[in-house]
Amino acid sequence: SQQGEEDPQALSIQEGENATMNCSYKTSINNLQWYRQNSGRGLVHLILIRSNEREKHSGRLRVTLDTSKKSSSLLITASRAADTASYFCATLRVDSGYSTLTFGKGTMLLVSP
Amino acid sequence: NAGVMQNPRHLVRRRGQEARLRCSPMKGHSHVYWYRQLPEEGLKFMVYLQKENIIDESGMPKERFSAEFPKEGPSILRIQQVVRGDSAAYFCASSPDTGGYTFGSGTRLTVV
């Protein structure tokens, strides 16, 4: 079953604005990861937040995690046209001795110059 | 370290043919995962393999799809008698025992 669900499905903003994407999930997790995918390309790992962390920063990225609400958000500040891509959250769960990484459907971000 | 290598990058098959997708994990990684991405969708888990063993194939379609990760050589995802609905991007990821997935660039399968 689909674990992560991103919201919104699509987001269109102007360069310089901030972009916020949300992700909800259903089961307990070990960590949550955000990936980026340019059209027709592979996945790029952006940031990982562990289940015992609440917030993490990396450059212009800020990720929050609320395990009580089973939700996470990804904030991209001062967006650039080059940030245009699809963004996916993925939850990692360890069960029966091995890990499973489950992806949401993604948010398509369009940043206009 | 060349990362996770997938080939071919693009594969075109006619309906009814077989598709073989290859994935060479990162050096030192003994865990391989295959995911499928349909157009405009997220990645869906298909199968998790360790050397010579299938650990979890809960995401694999029951028919026509198979996967292996032999003692020597790459992991292979095999799709027999392909249909139009099999057109998708297939991604492989590998990880070491300590975790941490690294994804390949994917194979884009088009069935005509």
Side-chain angles (χ1 to χ4, degrees), chain B residues 5-78:
Chain B
M5 303 301 292
Q6 287 189 250
N7 66 82
R9 293 291 298 272
H10 300 273
L11 181 62
V12 179
R13 283 286 177 267
R14 295 187 189 281
R15 279 178 292 173
Q17 290 185 319
E18 178 181 287
R20 290 171 71 87
L21 288 63
R22 294 175 191 78
C23 169
S24 296
M26 281 185 72
K27 191 175 180 181
H29 288 194
S30 59
H31 306 260
V32 166
Y33 312 81
W34 285 94
Y35 287 78
R36 176 165 66 174
Q37 184 180 32
L38 295 170
E40 311 300 325
E41 297 259 339
L43 277 70
K44 297 276 179 67
F45 169 78
M46 298 181 76
V47 62
Y48 160 46
L49 310 103
Q50 291 184 22
K51 281 288 185 183
E52 300 184 277
N53 289 305
I54 295 174
I55 306 302
D56 181 353
E57 56 182 347
S58 57
M60 286 278 270
K62 294 283 186 286
E63 296 175 347
R64 302 186 297 107
F65 284 71
S66 62
E68 62 177 16
F69 187 16
K71 190 175 178 182
E72 302 290 337
S75 175
I76 305 286
L77 179 68
R78 184 178 173 213

Side-chain angles (χ1 to χ4, degrees), chain A residues 2 15 22 30 37 48 52 59 61 63 83 89 92 94 106:
Chain A
Q2 196 71 10
E15 255 188 335
N22 302 297
N30 287 71
Q37 184 181 37
L48 180 154
N52 61 353
L61 305 179
V63 171
D83 294 329
C89 73
L92 188 90
V94 178

